[in-house]
Amino acid sequence: MHKKKATLIINPRTGQNVAKLPDVLAVLSAAGWKTMIGLKEYGGHTMELANAATEEKSDLVLAYGGDGTLSQVVNGVMNTKEQSMVGIIPGGTANVWAGEIGVPDDPVKATLALVNSEPHKVDVGHVDIMGVTFPQAQAEDGQSRQGKNGHKKKLKPSKGSAKAKHHFLLMAGLGVDAAIMGNVSKPLKYRIGPLAVGLSAAKELPAHRAFPIEISTSPDESEPLWRGEALQVVIGNTRRYGDIAEMTPNAYIDDGVLDVCVVTAGDPLSTMQQITSLLLRKKPDNLTAEYFHGAHLYIKVPATVPMQLDGSAVKLKDYLEKADYAALQQVEQQDQVMISYRFDAMPHALEVFIPRSYNDALFERSQSAEGGQEQVTRLQEHDEKAHVKPHKHKGDEQGETEAHAESEQHDPAADSKEKKHDEEMSKEFPALVASLLENGRKITVVGKVPNPEKAGTYIIAGGATKESTGEIKPVAVVVDAETTIFNQDGRHEQTEAIQGLQEGASLVVEGKKSKRGVIHASRMVI
């Protein structure tokens, strides 16, 4: 990955995400990314920022926030002709996508994981409204609208509003989940997290009723896949549904189809059975759920059924043409008005950054096996280069001697020379290390990651303590073949010794520090 222009779009969340911004920027800078910053200021601004970043040819657009922020970024990127890649630094309530692909919740560790990621092409879900069916009384008054042409067979998507989000990466939901998300207090959500969602659920669940639904694979709806009453419908591009369950457990993100789970209506006993299954088995019970999948799905539900995309409630107003929405407002019983949605899978439509450590569970087995083998080969090549490449120190020929020791014949004279050299250096090291320990920067490790683009190179994120004030400044240390590494006993260590560093370990580093907190280590003690 040689493209290095990134845009970091931040949902400030009353300041929580901004607090770690210097740490995040230090790591990105250490990895060679030239990063611009965009801060969300109002509703819909994130989509605008992502759109502008893509048009300005940012190679990577990073969403620093929750799944709602990611959804806005995905839509902003998808609304352009030339697309950027998309990455995530979790900073929201549920962080479902980050959990799906194994990105840590901690923003600094997440940025380290991002640095050691690679782009994958994934499917994106697309939703549009194909038509609105009004009750018979309104139809007789000329208010029945089945798209622009007035009948089902020639339905066309409504243009709607520029604010409408037509794309989703994770899932779409029709039913009680959208009602819950639409009534969550954002200030309360930022303060107490998932509990705010629970409070909204306690309010919405008792009032929720089953609704009629038709699911078809063609716009004429002549032979529906399923018709009945439902409590909830989930159209999944991925599997996880919040932190509760896998509503579409068989979904793959690169198979070109969407998976649908319909939680069917039933008596109180079956409803309790479904709740128990979600809590204990982490997926819906097959007796009270129906499953479908397809590349193109048509779903008809009452206009009163709310919709959410990637965990954020959306407004029906944004998807309807003005005439349709005005006519809808004139109807007294809006649950008698039927909305025809079209859901499409857009195969391999977006490139997203996924950690190299991810097990590819969301990818189809055939493609995963092939891609996984390529990744194993790349990692093996990386490891071989990292271990074979000699560790060269200034004025020290030890690395070159070790690199050639196995390939050359035994030379007693060379051995004697090397031994004498080691004895001379062993006298010098203790004093040098003592000086480093006294004058170098003291750093506490947060995490580390290999730089996949440069074999034998590592990035260490941490905090440097200023002894005069005790203030801790975020830094990212770059360790490469030019870095001389000592242990506490004054002995040389190879670069691979960085692999053993744990969170909380202490380092002492010597090297020039950049404005964004990047230290290219010339010498260090571990």
Side-chain angles (χ1 to χ4, degrees):
M1 177 61 205
H2 300 290
K3 299 178 180 180
K4 290 294 183 180
K5 183 180 178 183
T7 299
L8 179 62
I9 300 177
I10 308 165
N11 179 357
R13 284 176 59 92
T14 67
Q16 295 102 311
N17 291 339
V18 178
K20 287 290 185 179
L21 184 56
D23 307 67
V24 169
L25 292 175
V27 174
L28 291 174
S29 183
W33 287 95
K34 182 180 179 182
T35 308
M36 305 300 291
I37 301 171
L39 191 67
K40 173 192 172 183
E41 299 177 17
Y42 50 83
H45 190 208
T46 300
M47 192 188 301
E48 296 172 12
L49 290 170
N51 189 279
T54 306
E55 291 184 344
E56 291 168 6
K57 301 188 183 303
S58 277
D59 302 303
L60 176 64
V61 181
L62 292 172
Y64 185 5
D67 295 307
T69 301
L70 176 64
S71 177
Q72 292 275 344
V73 166
V74 168
N75 276 273
V77 169
M78 290 294 296
N79 289 340
T80 58
K81 292 182 179 179
E82 295 186 8
Q83 294 175 12
S84 303
M85 294 173 290
V86 173
I88 183 69
I89 298 175
T93 303
N95 303 315
V96 174
W97 174 242
E100 281 273 28
I101 61 173
V103 175
D105 279 339
D106 179 85
V108 181
K109 294 177 182 178
T111 310
L112 288 169
L114 181 75
V115 166
N116 195 29
S117 294
E118 57 186 356
H120 285 63
K121 287 187 176 181
V122 301
D123 302 342
V124 174
H126 184 273
V127 60
D128 223 323
I129 290 181
M130 300 299 292
V132 185
T133 304
F134 288 85
Q136 185 62 32
Q138 279 73 28
E140 292 173 355
D141 292 335
Q143 293 181 0
S144 178
R145 301 176 182 274
Q146 302 286 338
K148 291 183 178 180
N149 295 311
H151 55 92
K152 293 181 180 180
K153 292 185 179 180
K154 295 183 180 181
L155 296 183
K156 294 182 180 180
S158 299
K159 292 182 179 180
S161 165
K163 296 179 181 179
K165 294 191 298 181
H166 291 278
H167 303 92
F168 58 95
L169 179 63
L170 306 175
M171 75 188 76
L174 293 164
V176 67
D177 64 347
I180 291 170
M181 298 311 299
N183 288 285
V184 173
S185 166
K186 284 192 175 180
L188 192 63
K189 181 180 175 183
Y190 293 157
R191 290 202 305 271
I192 64 175
L195 288 176
V197 180
L199 291 174
S200 178
K203 178 182 177 182
E204 294 297 328
L205 282 171
H208 187 67
R209 298 290 181 269
F211 53 87
I213 177 175
E214 289 185 11
I215 302 177
S216 305
T217 56
S218 62
D220 60 15
E221 304 167 357
S222 57
E223 296 183 5
L225 287 173
W226 192 81
R227 180 188 289 122
E229 288 199 332
L231 295 169
Q232 175 68 50
V233 181
V234 174
I235 302 96
N237 191 38
T238 58
R239 300 174 185 175
R240 289 183 62 174
Y241 185 80
D243 288 328
I244 302 172
E246 290 187 344
M247 295 293 286
T248 48
N250 298 316
Y252 291 100
I253 202 169
D254 64 341
D255 60 358
V257 299
L258 297 171
D259 287 55
V260 180
C261 172
V262 181
V263 179
T264 57
D267 55 32
L269 180 60
S270 62
T271 302
M272 183 58 67
Q273 182 179 346
Q274 188 65 268
I275 293 173
T276 302
S277 179
L278 289 174
L279 292 176
L280 299 180
R281 299 174 66 238
K282 302 299 182 183
K283 62 181 181 180
D285 186 277
N286 290 335
L287 296 177
T288 52
E290 298 284 343
Y291 292 94
F292 310 94
H293 68 267
H296 311 287
L297 296 163
Y298 298 83
I299 300 179
K300 180 185 287 188
V301 294
T304 51
V305 176
M307 181 171 68
Q308 60 88 3
L309 299 179
D310 288 342
S312 296
V314 296
K315 297 178 180 179
L316 184 60
K317 178 181 179 180
D318 292 338
Y319 294 83
L320 292 175
E321 294 183 359
K322 290 183 178 179
D324 289 330
Y325 189 73
L328 176 63
Q329 297 305 105
Q330 301 300 315
V331 179
E332 292 184 4
Q333 294 181 310
Q334 293 189 4
D335 60 343
Q336 299 300 309
V337 179
M338 301 298 288
I339 304 293
S340 295
Y341 291 98
R342 172 172 170 162
F343 291 90
D344 297 295
M346 301 175 65
H348 300 175
L350 180 69
E351 278 194 296
V352 296
F353 258 34
I354 293 181
R356 292 171 183 268
S357 58
Y358 179 59
N359 62 8
D360 285 349
L362 274 178
F363 293 86
E364 275 195 302
R365 290 182 181 86
S366 58
Q367 296 183 17
S368 176
E370 182 179 349
Q373 183 57 48
E374 291 177 357
Q375 182 175 351
V376 167
T377 302
R378 285 194 296 271
L379 290 176
Q380 287 175 343
E381 291 174 352
H382 176 277
D383 290 341
E384 288 171 1
K385 291 178 182 178
H387 285 83
V388 172
K389 188 172 181 179
H391 185 93
K392 221 175 171 185
H393 305 291
K394 295 180 180 178
D396 180 12
E397 301 299 326
Q398 180 181 356
E400 291 183 2
T401 303
E402 291 176 354
H404 291 282
E406 294 182 2
S407 61
E408 295 183 351
Q409 294 182 353
H410 182 70
D411 186 350
D415 288 348
S416 177
K417 184 179 179 180
E418 180 182 348
K419 183 177 180 181
K420 183 177 179 180
H421 174 75
D422 288 345
E423 289 174 352
E424 291 174 353
M425 293 300 290
S426 65
K427 296 177 182 178
E428 179 183 347
F429 286 167
L432 181 60
V433 171
S435 176
L436 275 172
L437 290 173
E438 182 178 353
N439 301 312
R441 290 186 175 90
K442 281 70 174 178
I443 295 172
T444 302
V445 175
V446 172
K448 88 285 184 182
V449 70
N451 188 338
E453 296 185 23
K454 296 181 180 179
T457 301
Y458 293 83
I459 298 171
I460 303 171
T465 304
K466 190 174 182 180
E467 291 188 358
S468 59
T469 62
E471 182 182 9
I472 298 176
K473 292 281 189 179
V475 295
V477 181
V478 177
V479 181
D480 56 25
E482 300 301 319
T483 306
T484 304
I485 305 174
F486 303 100
N487 61 24
Q488 296 287 336
D489 296 328
R491 295 181 181 276
H492 265 161
E493 294 284 355
Q494 300 298 311
T495 308
E496 289 74 29
I498 301 302
Q499 295 177 0
L501 287 177
Q502 301 297 320
E503 182 178 0
S506 296
L507 305 174
V508 179
V509 178
E510 181 181 79
K512 188 176 180 180
K513 180 182 174 184
S514 74
K515 292 180 180 179
R516 282 201 164 170
V518 179
I519 302 173
H520 286 269
S522 56
R523 292 185 292 192
M524 66 187 300
V525 180
I526 61 175

